[in-house]
Amino acid sequence: MISQDDISSANTKLSQIDGITLDTEYAVMEHFYTIQGEGAHTGSAAYFIRLAGCDVGCSWCDVKESWDADIHPRITVQSMLESLLETPASIVVITGGEPLLQDLGPLTKALHALGKQIHIETSGSSPLSGSLDWITLSPKRFKPPLPEIYPYVDELKVIVLRKKDLQWAQEHAARCPSRTKLLLQPEWDTPQAMPLMVDFVKENPQWKISLQTHKFLGVP
Ligand code: SF4
């Protein structure tokens, strides 16, 4: 539980950040405190900022309402940070949509000034911006990653629908640094992907399986 003292101290920190940065607006679909359900940080409490806008167009996308940035409000960094500071979150996950369609410089500068760890989940199809502590690359066939992102990838998470996705996953892994965590995740409505992944990971133990545990937990 956050105390009044915690809120006052957080507001003091906020007032000390460069005002120009705090005035920057982003198209935001939603922002909320929850549990990270996927990937290497599964189970960690995290504040999610889901930026609006996506030009990738995955047919199986489960957040199609994020695609059109114009139907979502533009929210200042200050407003997002005020909501964030009502929580004890130390990790902030910037997701989308495709979050790299917007310049993450001002937002990440402000988040770092508050001492937050910043994670991003991206298709990598737009240029990197901002200062990020953990980059999850989830490549999509519909608009492939830009080559310059691969050296920075902390976690490669490939969505699997069919067998050929496993070969495709290996092609992306070959372009990532050796430290990159390699994850396969079944598309939620494609249960036939699961036995394919199980067999693959047993034969290729450098890979792990990621599940959308937030859907089991019933949290957003
Ligand atoms: S990149 Fe993400 S948000 Fe965009 S269409 Fe694909 S799954 Fe949906």
Side-chain angles (χ1 to χ4, degrees):
M1 195 68 183
I2 301 286
S3 70
Q4 206 49 50
D5 283 352
D6 292 333
I7 292 174
S8 308
S9 134
N11 280 331
T12 303
K13 280 189 200 168
L14 193 53
S15 66
Q16 289 164 350
I17 303 176
D18 178 341
I20 296 169
T21 300
L22 296 178
D23 287 345
T24 306
E25 290 182 342
Y26 288 84
V28 179
M29 179 176 153
E30 55 185 349
H31 54 114
F32 51 94
Y33 188 39
T34 186
I35 302 293
Q36 168 60 283
E38 304 177 6
H41 293 92
T42 293
S44 301
Y47 196 88
F48 272 65
I49 298 175
R50 186 182 301 287
L51 295 181
C54 186
D55 60 354
V56 178
C58 306
S59 54
W60 41 263
C61 176
D62 60 1
V63 279
K64 288 193 167 102
E65 61 277 29
S66 70
W67 291 6
D68 182 358
D70 293 339
I71 65 170
H72 295 285
R74 295 191 65 79
I75 299 179
T76 62
V77 171
Q78 166 117 21
S79 168
M80 282 188 268
L81 296 196
E82 283 171 2
S83 301
L84 164 65
L85 289 172
E86 288 171 8
T87 78
S90 59
I91 297 173
V92 175
V93 179
I94 304 176
T95 185
E98 173 41 68
L100 289 175
L101 284 176
Q102 301 184 61
D103 174 9
L104 300 183
L107 176 59
T108 58
K109 182 179 172 194
L111 290 169
H112 273 154
L114 292 176
K116 305 300 176 188
Q117 242 188 79
I118 307 173
H119 298 188
I120 188 175
E121 171 152 343
T122 176
S123 67
S125 57
S126 291
L128 274 173
S129 58
S131 171
L132 302 160
D133 302 306
W134 183 267
I135 296 177
T136 299
L137 175 66
S138 185
K140 304 292 172 1
R141 290 180 184 276
F142 307 89
K143 192 168 183 208
L146 298 174
E148 56 262 34
I149 197 170
Y150 289 99
Y152 303 103
V153 176
D154 296 293
E155 175 179 77
L156 174 68
K157 187 175 67 182
V158 178
I159 309 301
V160 177
L161 289 90
R162 55 189 77 82
K163 196 166 185 181
K164 68 178 183 180
D165 294 331
L166 300 170
Q167 173 64 35
W168 194 68
Q170 287 176 303
E171 290 165 19
H172 288 287
R175 303 179 72 177
C176 291
S178 56
R179 65 182 171 81
T180 303
K181 296 195 181 307
L182 304 177
L183 300 170
L184 299 173
Q185 184 167 293
E187 196 277 319
W188 182 254
D189 292 320
T190 313
Q192 60 270 31
M194 295 195 196
L196 294 175
M197 292 189 328
V198 168
D199 289 346
F200 180 86
V201 170
K202 284 163 74 179
E203 285 174 22
N204 300 276
Q206 70 275 29
W207 288 86
K208 290 186 178 179
I209 292 173
S210 167
L211 298 176
Q212 292 180 293
T213 59
H214 53 292
K215 294 190 178 179
F216 294 104
L217 290 170
V219 297

